[in-house]
Amino acid sequence: MVKRNVLLNPGPATTTDTVKMAQVVPDICPREKEFVGIMREVEEGLLKIVHADPEEYAAVLFCGSGTINMDICLNSLLPEDKKILIINNGAYSSRGAEICEYYGLPCINLKQPLNHQPDLQVIEETLQENPDIAVVYITHHETGTGLLNPIREIGALVHKYHAIFVVDTTSTYAMRPINVHEDNIDFCMASAQKGIMAMTGLSYVIGRRSAIEASAEYPKRSYYCNLYMQYAYAREHGEMHFTPPVQVIYAARQALKEYFAEGEAAKWNRHQRVFRTIRKGLTELGFQIYISEQEEAGLVAAALYPKDKNWNFEKIHDYCYERGFTIYPGKVEKKGMFRLCALGAIDEADITAFFEVFRQGLNEYGVSIPVKY
């Protein structure tokens, strides 16, 4: 039994002991048929989570954190003389715009309010005015704030104007139910340490085979982070082109078994239970939550710092951390806030226990309850 910490940060997530121990396996060369079979099993499970038809979609595995997926899709899927539209209403869509800037990719950085869903009319007008937009990119769930973006409606607009829709689902995949066909998604992505509750180091892009194959003719902007190269190599050899994170893939296989044993609906219900308990606990203490209930994803609550001279996030963080609970600062410039997240192998009893510790910490440092704004 490994000491259990409850991680309320937006990833990596709390994992089960069975996922942790799945990494303890005999050493194996990743070019062996046995390991190639494990990778195939993982790819099939990843497609199944988002109800992707394996004839139309492929799961392409990479070694790296979630940002590698963003890099791969943005640099690999843009034809020459075309543009990318970034719908930007948070820290992670801003990161997408920065990736475009670093590669020198033609990009429209469509900035929208950080605490509201984007304006669909503005998006459609932008698509109308720029017929050379080939790729539209958005973050499904901005974990910096907890904002959920309406991908199904945006995807319908993207397809109306014959562009490819790329959705960063890192913080919703295997948590909120996703169906790539119904949600108009051409490409989505995630990392193993998030929704499937596995280990850091494995990331994956799920995308339309036809679009990946078309990208073989696009400009090559990266060697390691090229989607078609990895896809073609895996299709021919059943392997990742470069050394995979071997033990992490064993953990991912176990995590997928546990995902399907729990079931899509039951898992989402559990995340909702956890989030409701988080929201209730914060509200009872008087904290203000940055995103309205109507526009939040139901996975992250970003609470504004109170105006209390005794409030000190670092001290409260350390108090909770020493007692087995991790909380995390916010990600909006010039807005003091912290986040509590409903992902990982946790349930509402963990949140009840957390708020007992959190309240003790507030009392320890003399923070008024209810907190003052």
Side-chain angles (χ1 to χ4, degrees), residues 194-212:
K194 296 270 193 172
I196 68 168
M197 307 181 317
M199 297 296 167
T200 305
L202 172 67
S203 291
Y204 28 90
V205 174
I206 294 166
R208 287 193 183 276
R209 292 181 181 273
S210 58
I212 298 172

Side-chain angles (χ1 to χ4, degrees), residues 221-261:
R221 303 175 178 99
S222 174
Y223 185 70
Y224 188 84
C225 295
N226 182 268
L227 184 57
Y228 178 76
M229 179 190 286
Q230 190 83 321
Y231 165 82
Y233 195 90
R235 187 175 55 176
E236 184 175 352
H237 303 285
E239 307 167 11
M240 289 170 67
H241 195 182
F242 306 104
T243 306
V246 176
Q247 284 74 18
V248 173
I249 288 174
Y250 278 100
R253 178 177 66 165
Q254 176 62 28
L256 288 168
K257 289 177 181 177
E258 293 178 17
Y259 172 88
F260 290 114

Side-chain angles (χ1 to χ4, degrees), residues 40 43-44 46-48 50-59 180-181 186 206-213 231 235:
R40 287 287 192 211
E43 290 167 2
E44 290 167 4
L46 295 173
L47 289 170
K48 188 176 176 183
V50 290
H51 306 276
D53 181 345
E55 294 297 315
E56 292 183 44
Y57 286 80
V180 290
H181 304 280
D186 297 308
I206 294 166
R208 287 193 183 276
R209 292 181 181 273
S210 58
I212 298 172
E213 290 165 9
Y231 165 82
R235 187 175 55 176

Side-chain angles (χ1 to χ4, degrees), residues 13 17 81-82 211 229 236 242 277 331 336 348:
D17 282 350
D81 301 322
K82 297 291 184 179
M229 179 190 286
E236 184 175 352
F242 306 104
T277 310
K331 215 171 177 71
E348 56 189 323

Side-chain angles (χ1 to χ4, degrees), residues 127-145:
L127 289 164
Q128 285 176 331
E129 293 164 7
N130 296 273
D132 56 348
I133 290 172
V135 176
V136 178
Y137 177 94
I138 194 169
T139 306
H140 190 194
H141 170 212
E142 280 285 357
T143 52
T145 59

Side-chain angles (χ1 to χ4, degrees), residues 21 75 357:
M21 297 311 296
N75 90 71
V357 169

Side-chain angles (χ1 to χ4, degrees), residues 161-218:
Y161 292 93
H162 310 294
I164 286 174
F165 192 36
V166 179
V167 185
D168 179 355
T169 54
T170 304
S171 296
T172 49
Y173 178 95
M175 289 177 278
R176 287 187 69 96
I178 295 170
N179 183 309
V180 290
H181 304 280
E182 295 174 2
D183 291 324
N184 299 310
I185 295 172
D186 297 308
F187 288 84
C188 63
M189 61 192 77
S191 290
Q193 77 274 13
K194 296 270 193 172
I196 68 168
M197 307 181 317
M199 297 296 167
T200 305
L202 172 67
S203 291
Y204 28 90
V205 174
I206 294 166
R208 287 193 183 276
R209 292 181 181 273
S210 58
I212 298 172
E213 290 165 9
S215 74
E217 305 302 320
Y218 300 167

Side-chain angles (χ1 to χ4, degrees), residues 7-14 92 141-146 170-172 175 191 193-195 299-301 326-331 338-344:
L7 304 184
L8 301 177
N9 52 290
T14 301
Y92 295 96
H141 170 212
E142 280 285 357
T143 52
T145 59
T170 304
S171 296
T172 49
M175 289 177 278
S191 290
Q193 77 274 13
K194 296 270 193 172
L299 291 166
V300 173
T326 298
I327 62 176
Y328 208 62
K331 215 171 177 71
F338 67 97
R339 291 175 281 172
L340 301 179
C341 307
L343 67 156

